[in-house]
């Protein structure tokens, strides 16, 4: 089949005869006309996505002060930017937090405020040189006062993203939002049918030099994004654009409670329909895109996969997990993804946007997303726990427990049933309280029943965080039958750290 | 509709809500209640059927309590909201949903002011309405 060239398409944009549709309209068109017919009829398919993209940031150049300074450290509205570049260049990352306001305000908000035309307070420090004698600088600028302000995002526009839920018994605060305990909710991200890369999954038209809609301005794909993983349909892009052209509507600072800040970035990619294969790919629907539902209750790199779902199921508002219907909610905005695909379509029809073909396509092979190479020991609970643990039988008295603790010279005493299962825990402090209140009889009355435990295979870092979160100093280590295998205390962890 | 009952210290010990329910036979749903330290009185947020509001208000006022009606239990700042819908899955009473065009809508009648959506919102677009 004879295809079209990008020059043919751009000529049609110039004379106003171009035929553009959004990726939402394309499945019906391909179903009706077939890929060949659709390729003849349609010139460009526009895509869109608007969601949290943490790996985002911007370079800026402040212009030279007098006397000049070579900034060693710089803060914008109290958010530190990386200044290890030439004199007054710096890079602000979306997820850097404000020194004074913490998670409420971060690099992402600085970028939004710049785009919105607001004043930004700059504070910089330096060591001073013969050519750059100044050591401290304080000024206030808007985006119009500075030279370049260039968004440069190392990883944006994930082709699709894993779905999050939480099988643990406590609320988690993650980059996928608040995850309620006992699989209380499900969150997901991504535009599905409008996903830029899913509409061109072999990157026929996406790569270095592809002109795109970036946050309301015209930007470019500058190559593969970090963690680009074509083999698993987790492709990503690096993108760049001029902050001065952007629209606040499509660049939004965000805070995920208990996690940190991120930037909502709006990206729309035009897919020039050069041939039937490209037309066919743009017929992808929500039902065609499958993602894993992961249990974020497991704080490890490999989280358990609970099931697979399609975007169609996710967008229905409910999915089934282990026989229960759980409410889903997106973290990205489909409403605004649609607005972006629509706006890009509008630009092309009006002749203000001309698509380009990449100088170099995103790589489809030869790229691998590897886990980190870690050196040194990663100690687990099993490496540090006291193997011989003393427990006490349920049903005994407070006085019995006091004796055991005295003789053993420790603070935490797990209470077990006659079958050896953990049913509670007693501390020396519990006993002191009980004696003070004259409650010396049954242990059951004073023990803590909701015991926080650890597993022998867990990394120490995770257990240390659990101790801190619950504000306690020891965890019984149990097997899957709740039998006590040992106990890990904050003392054990301190000793381990001291040895390192 | 949502109302807040303001109770002065002198009548705090009385089972006011129970008395009003027995007198009016109206099913009242308590969203939350807060009793302040000694001398501070208290507040009770109550869901009242629209058509029985006058009757219920009169019964409470007769007993010395004052009432304010809550117009908006949760307030959404449309300039900040990006219509992502993150709030939907944490709401315990199903207040929030998508319209056909994927914009977010709220059925405020169902709101119990728990604040879960406020914490979830990545764009600080939501706040719990004050009385």
């Amino acid at each position: 089949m004879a295809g079209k060239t990008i020059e043919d398409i751009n000529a049609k944009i110039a004379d106003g005869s171009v035929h553009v549709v959004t990726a939402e309209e394309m499945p019906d068109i391909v179903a009706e006309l077939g890929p060949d017919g659709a390729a003849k009829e349609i010139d460009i398919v526009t895509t869109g996505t608007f969601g949290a993209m943490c790996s985002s940031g911007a370079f800026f150049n402040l212009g030279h002060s007098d006397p000049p300074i070579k900034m060693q450290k710089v803060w914008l509205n109290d958010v530190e930017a990386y200044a290890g570049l030439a004199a007054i260049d710096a890079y602000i990352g979306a997820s850097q937090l404000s020194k004074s306001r913490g998670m409420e305000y971060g690099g992402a908000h600085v970028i939004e405020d710049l785009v919105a035309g607001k004043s930004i307070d700059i504070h910089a420090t330096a060591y001073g040189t013969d050519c750059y004698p100044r050591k401290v600088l304080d000024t206030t600028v808007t985006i119009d006062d500075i030279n370049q302000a260039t968004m440069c995002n190392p990883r944006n526009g994930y082709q699709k993203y894993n779905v999050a839920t939480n099988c643990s018994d406590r609320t988690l605060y993650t980059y996928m939002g608040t995850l309620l305990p006992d699989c209380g909710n499900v969150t997901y991200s991504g535009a599905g049918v409008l996903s830029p890369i899913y509409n061109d999954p072999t990157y026929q038209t996406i790569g270095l030099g592809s002109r795109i809609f970036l946050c309301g301005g015209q930007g470019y794909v500058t190559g593969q994004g970090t963690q680009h993983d074509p083999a698993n349909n987790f492709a990503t892009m690096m993108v760049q654009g001029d902050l001065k052209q952007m629209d606040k509507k499509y660049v939004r600072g965000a805070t995920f409670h208990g996690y940190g800040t991120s930037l909502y970035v709006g990206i729309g990619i035009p897919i020039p329909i050069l041939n039937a294969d490209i037309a066919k790919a743009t017929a992808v629907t929500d039902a065609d895109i499958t993602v894993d539902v992961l249990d974020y209750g497991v704080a490890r790199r490999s989280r358990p996969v609970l099931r697979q779902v399609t975007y169609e199921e996710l967008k229905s508002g409910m999915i089934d997990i282990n026989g229960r219907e759980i409410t889903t909610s997106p973290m990205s905005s489909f409403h605004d993804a649609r607005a972006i695909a629509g706006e890009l379509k509008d630009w092309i029809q009006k002749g203000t946007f001309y698509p380009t073909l990449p100088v170099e396509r995103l790589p489809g092979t030869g790229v691998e997303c590897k886990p980190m190479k870690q050196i040194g020991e990663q100690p687990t609970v099993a490496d540090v726990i006291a193997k011989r643990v003393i427990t006490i039988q349920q049903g005994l008295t407070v006085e019995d427990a006091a004796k055991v603790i005295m003789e053993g010279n420790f603070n935490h005493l797990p209470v077990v049933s006659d079958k050896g299962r953990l049913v509670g825990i007693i501390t020396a402090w519990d006993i002191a309280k009980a004696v003070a209140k004259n409650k010396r009889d049954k242990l059951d009355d004073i023990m803590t029943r909701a015991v926080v435990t650890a597993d022998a295979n867990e990394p120490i870092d995770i257990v240390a965080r659990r101790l801190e979160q619950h504000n306690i100093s020891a965890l019984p280590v149990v097997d899957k039958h709740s039998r006590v295998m040992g106990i890990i205390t904050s003392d054990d962890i301190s000793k381990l750290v001291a040895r390192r | 509709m949502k109302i807040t009952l303001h109770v002065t210290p002198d009548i705090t010990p009385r089972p006011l809500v129970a008395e009003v329910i027995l007198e009016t036979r109206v099913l009242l749903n308590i969203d939350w209640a807060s009793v302040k330290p000694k001398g501070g009185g208290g507040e009770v947020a109550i869901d009242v059927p629209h058509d029985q509001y006058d009757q219920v208000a009169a019964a409470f006022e007769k007993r010395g309590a004052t009432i304010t009606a809550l117009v908006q239990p949760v307030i959404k700042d449309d300039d900040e909201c990006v219509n992502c819908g993150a709030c939907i899955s944490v709401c315990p009473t199903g207040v929030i949903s998508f319209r056909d065009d994927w914009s977010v809508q709220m059925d405020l009648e169902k709101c119990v002011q728990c604040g879960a959506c406020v914490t979830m919102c990545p764009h600080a677009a939501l706040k719990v309405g004050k009385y």
Side-chain angles (χ1 to χ4, degrees):
Chain A
M1 192 212 80
K4 271 177 280 190
T5 65
I6 190 78
E7 289 78 15
D8 297 337
I9 292 172
N10 283 338
K12 290 174 87 174
I13 297 176
D15 71 20
S17 67
V18 70
H19 198 170
V20 193
V21 297
T22 72
E24 256 187 297
E25 301 170 79
M26 201 57 175
D28 286 346
I29 295 171
V30 173
E32 193 189 323
L33 305 176
D36 286 309
K40 280 199 197 89
E41 185 68 24
I42 306 298
D43 301 311
I44 299 170
V45 170
T46 61
T47 63
T49 187
F50 186 61
M53 306 191 195
C54 297
S55 218
S56 296
F59 286 103
F60 55 91
N61 176 285
L62 293 174
H64 285 288
S65 61
D66 184 36
I69 185 168
K70 178 171 102 71
M71 303 187 300
Q72 193 181 5
K73 286 194 176 278
V74 62
W75 292 263
L76 287 81
N77 282 355
D78 231 9
V79 179
E80 188 171 11
Y82 180 69
L85 304 165
I88 34 82
D89 281 339
Y91 181 83
I92 186 153
S95 62
Q96 184 73 269
L97 305 182
S98 155
K99 228 171 27 162
S100 49
R101 295 169 68 187
M103 287 186 191
E104 181 191 314
Y105 190 90
H109 299 89
V110 173
I111 293 169
E112 176 185 326
D113 284 347
L114 270 170
V115 170
K118 291 187 183 167
S119 295
I120 306 288
D121 293 331
I122 311 272
H123 172 68
T125 59
Y127 50 80
T129 71
D130 289 342
C131 44
Y132 292 108
R134 192 175 193 131
K135 289 194 170 180
V136 180
L137 175 87
D138 283 284
T139 185
T140 299
V141 299
T142 69
I143 196 164
D144 296 329
D145 301 323
I146 62 182
N147 291 321
Q148 285 72 23
T150 308
M151 176 178 277
C152 183
N153 302 344
R155 179 167 73 255
N156 274 184
Y158 257 113
Q159 186 171 5
K160 62 176 185 179
Y161 207 77
N162 287 321
V163 177
T165 191
N166 167 22
C167 296
S168 81
D169 58 4
R170 71 182 183 90
T171 302
L172 301 177
Y173 300 102
T174 75
Y175 61 84
M176 292 298 285
T178 302
L179 298 174
L180 303 173
D182 191 23
C183 299
N185 66 336
V186 165
T187 62
Y188 66 98
S189 196
V193 61
L194 282 173
S195 159
I197 298 180
Y198 240 109
N199 277 280
D200 181 10
T202 54
Y203 330 128
Q204 301 296 312
T205 70
I206 303 176
L208 172 65
S210 299
R211 188 176 291 140
I212 60 171
F213 174 110
L214 182 59
C215 303
Q218 296 190 17
Y220 294 88
V221 174
T222 55
Q224 61 172 305
T226 54
Q227 287 176 213
H228 178 59
D229 188 4
N232 295 303
N233 293 328
F234 274 84
T236 71
M237 298 169 285
M238 191 177 282
V239 302
Q240 180 178 318
D242 182 0
L243 229 54
K244 295 190 181 196
Q245 284 185 30
M246 293 179 184
D247 181 347
K248 184 202 156 187
K249 199 172 150 196
Y250 300 117
V251 207
R252 304 293 283 268
T255 293
F256 294 102
H257 180 81
Y259 170 76
T261 62
S262 185
L263 188 67
Y264 273 55
V265 175
I267 293 180
I269 297 194
I271 315 285
I273 305 301
L274 305 174
N275 56 50
D277 287 342
I278 297 176
K280 194 176 167 192
T282 57
V284 69
T285 65
D286 286 330
D288 300 326
I289 307 174
T290 305
V291 275
D292 289 341
V293 180
L294 302 187
D295 176 12
Y296 276 62
V298 176
R300 301 300 296 270
R301 183 173 58 215
S302 295
R303 304 178 198 276
V305 177
L306 300 175
R307 59 166 291 192
Q308 294 196 312
V309 284
T310 64
Y311 274 89
E312 185 180 41
E313 292 171 278
L314 289 165
K315 283 161 94 172
S316 76
M318 290 273 191
I319 64 166
D320 182 292
I321 292 180
N322 301 329
R324 280 166 56 211
E325 286 293 308
I326 312 293
T327 309
T328 63
S329 60
M331 301 305 294
S332 52
S333 170
F334 191 72
H335 179 270
D336 286 5
R338 211 181 234 180
I340 288 165
E343 200 158 320
L344 179 56
K345 174 178 163 179
D346 223 41
W347 288 357
I348 296 168
Q349 284 171 337
K350 285 186 182 142
T352 57
F353 183 104
Y354 287 81
T356 57
L357 283 186
V359 177
E360 187 173 307
R361 288 157 55 185
L362 295 184
T365 55
V367 192
E368 190 191 347
C369 182
K370 296 189 285 278
M372 183 187 283
K373 175 190 175 189
Q374 285 165 287
I375 56 164
E377 54 182 301
Q378 299 294 319
T380 63
V381 170
D383 296 332
V384 294
I385 56 168
K387 298 276 174 357
R388 208 180 65 81
V389 61
I390 296 167
T391 58
I392 189 165
Q393 285 282 323
Q394 191 176 13
L396 293 179
T397 66
V398 174
E399 206 162 320
D400 294 330
K403 274 184 199 149
V404 176
I405 286 180
M406 271 286 293
E407 284 159 16
N409 189 27
F410 51 77
N411 280 321
H412 298 83
L413 183 58
V415 183
V416 296
S417 68
D418 48 6
K419 293 202 171 96
R421 297 219 167 94
L422 180 71
V423 292
I425 193 163
I426 287 286
T427 65
W429 170 245
D430 293 331
I431 289 174
K433 262 194 310 189
V435 169
K437 289 181 182 165
N438 226 347
K439 282 163 77 179
R440 296 167 191 231
D441 301 340
K442 282 167 91 187
L443 206 50
D444 290 41
D445 296 342
I446 67 156
M447 72 184 184
T448 301
R449 287 166 195 277
V451 190
V452 185
T453 62
D455 181 279
N457 298 317
E458 285 186 289
I460 290 296
D461 291 13
I462 289 179
V463 172
R465 182 169 161 77
R466 190 172 306 143
L467 286 169
E468 190 191 342
Q469 279 176 329
H470 291 274
N471 194 23
I472 51 180
S473 54
L475 301 174
V477 180
V478 293
D479 67 8
K480 59 177 188 279
H481 305 295
S482 290
R483 282 188 299 245
V484 181
M485 316 297 291
I487 192 156
I488 180 160
T489 67
S490 41
D491 280 357
D492 297 332
I493 296 175
S494 305
K495 281 177 198 150
L496 177 81
V497 172
R499 278 209 309 272
R500 272 177 181 173
Chain B
M1 64 187 292
K2 310 278 181 188
I3 61 166
T4 302
L5 194 65
H6 304 273
V7 183
T8 49
D10 53 312
I11 53 171
T12 306
R14 287 178 59 181
L16 275 189
V17 179
E19 286 177 17
V20 169
I21 292 172
L22 288 174
E23 180 188 311
T24 61
R25 313 287 297 164
V26 174
L27 296 178
L28 301 180
N29 197 7
I30 299 176
D31 288 345
W32 55 262
S34 134
V35 178
K36 300 197 176 85
K38 196 173 178 183
E43 290 180 338
V44 189
I46 302 173
D47 204 4
V48 185
H50 265 290
D51 50 347
Q52 289 162 313
Y53 168 76
D54 289 342
Q55 191 190 353
V56 169
F60 277 121
E61 279 159 1
K62 188 168 78 185
R63 289 170 170 78
T66 51
I67 282 174
T68 45
L70 178 63
V71 185
Q72 267 193 299
V74 161
I75 299 158
K76 179 156 78 73
D77 180 342
D78 290 333
D79 288 338
E80 291 302 327
C81 176
V82 302
N83 290 296
C84 61
C87 46
I88 292 172
S89 71
V90 291
C91 174
T93 54
V95 170
I96 314 151
S97 59
F98 283 120
R99 295 189 185 93
D100 287 345
D101 70 351
W102 291 91
S103 62
V104 163
Q105 63 182 352
M106 296 182 138
D107 179 0
L108 295 173
E109 289 282 315
K110 294 181 182 167
C111 178
V112 295
Q113 292 203 301
C114 68
C117 59
V118 176
T119 336
M120 180 66 151
C121 177
H123 299 276
L126 296 169
K127 63 178 185 205
V128 171
K130 292 264 184 279
Y131 295 85

